[in-house]
Amino acid sequence: MKLFKKMATILITMLVVFFVFLFWYKQRYSMHTVDPFEINSSRLEQRLLIATQGSEFKNAITKSVTDYFATDSVYIKVIDVSLLEKIDPSDFNAILVMHTWENWKAPDAVITFVNDMGKQRHKLVVLTTSGQGSYKIDGVDAFTGESEMKNIPVFSDSIITRLGVLLKSNY
């Protein structure tokens, strides 16, 4: 009977430690929801959608991109990737999607949106972050990397350049 109690105690302790680890991991590494916002008039001809997940890294890139294009005649709409199902790609000249590769795949909303874009996929600029830094959706030309703060200027500059081409500007 003593052996059974000892084994049960060890098992329960291991389960508690495991669940504490899962809670910590989710709090530390999961993405937060982004509050939608808009910059400039929605009547402008050049229109940019940024769909992202909330993290310090992605927020910094979003700020770089919005700061760059906000002073020009570009309407910018920023949303959480979970809202992509409500977006008509034909309403935008360029679409930036930034997401994290979690549980061995991109978020379902991102996969569905990208697959449904069809001939409008040329408007798409994607940044996929992952621990490995190399995962991306099959068939999508994406920037990939780890969410390291030192890489923000490199990713921001590359994304701004590609978006500038899509917005038919002299950036």
Side-chain angles (χ1 to χ4, degrees):
M1 197 66 166
K2 275 185 166 184
L3 180 63
F4 176 75
K5 282 185 178 181
K6 192 173 188 177
M7 295 291 280
T9 302
I10 291 171
L11 181 62
I12 290 171
T13 302
M14 288 174 53
L15 285 172
V16 168
V17 168
F18 177 72
F19 284 111
V20 167
F21 171 77
L22 285 179
F23 177 79
W24 168 82
Y25 186 85
K26 183 152 179 71
Q27 292 301 316
R28 173 75 170 98
Y29 293 108
S30 68
M31 298 292 104
H32 303 285
T33 303
V34 172
D35 291 326
F37 66 93
E38 299 176 14
I39 298 172
N40 296 331
S41 171
S42 62
R43 292 186 214 131
L44 291 170
E45 187 177 323
Q46 298 300 318
R47 301 168 57 83
L48 168 62
L49 173 70
I50 301 173
T52 186
Q53 294 175 305
S55 72
E56 187 178 356
F57 180 79
K58 290 176 190 68
N59 293 347
I61 291 179
T62 299
K63 181 169 179 12
S64 294
V65 172
T66 56
D67 286 353
Y68 187 86
F69 289 107
T71 58
D72 200 6
S73 297
V74 177
Y75 165 68
I76 303 168
K77 182 173 187 165
V78 179
I79 64 168
D80 189 80
V81 294
S82 63
L83 300 175
L84 278 170
E85 67 183 19
K86 299 177 181 178
I87 297 298
D88 181 356
S90 64
D91 291 341
F92 296 91
N93 304 87
I95 300 170
L96 171 60
V97 176
M98 295 186 288
H99 69 87
T100 296
W101 199 262
E102 292 185 50
N103 301 321
W104 303 280
K105 64 182 182 112
D108 290 337
V110 173
I111 294 170
T112 300
F113 183 77
V114 169
N115 289 337
D116 290 348
M117 284 192 74
K119 292 182 180 183
Q120 296 186 70
R121 200 180 274 190
H122 70 278
K123 299 178 179 184
L124 190 61
V125 176
V126 177
L127 170 62
T128 303
T129 59
S130 65
Q132 293 283 329
S134 60
Y135 295 116
K136 67 181 184 120
I137 299 171
D138 289 335
V140 174
D141 181 21
F143 295 106
T144 61
E146 298 177 59
S147 296
E148 295 181 3
M149 300 306 281
K150 68 180 182 183
N151 294 333
I152 289 171
V154 174
F155 280 119
S156 294
D157 290 348
S158 298
I159 289 168
I160 287 168
T161 299
R162 195 170 295 173
L163 290 172
V165 170
L166 291 170
L167 293 168
K168 297 182 176 86
S169 300
N170 295 319
Y171 297 116

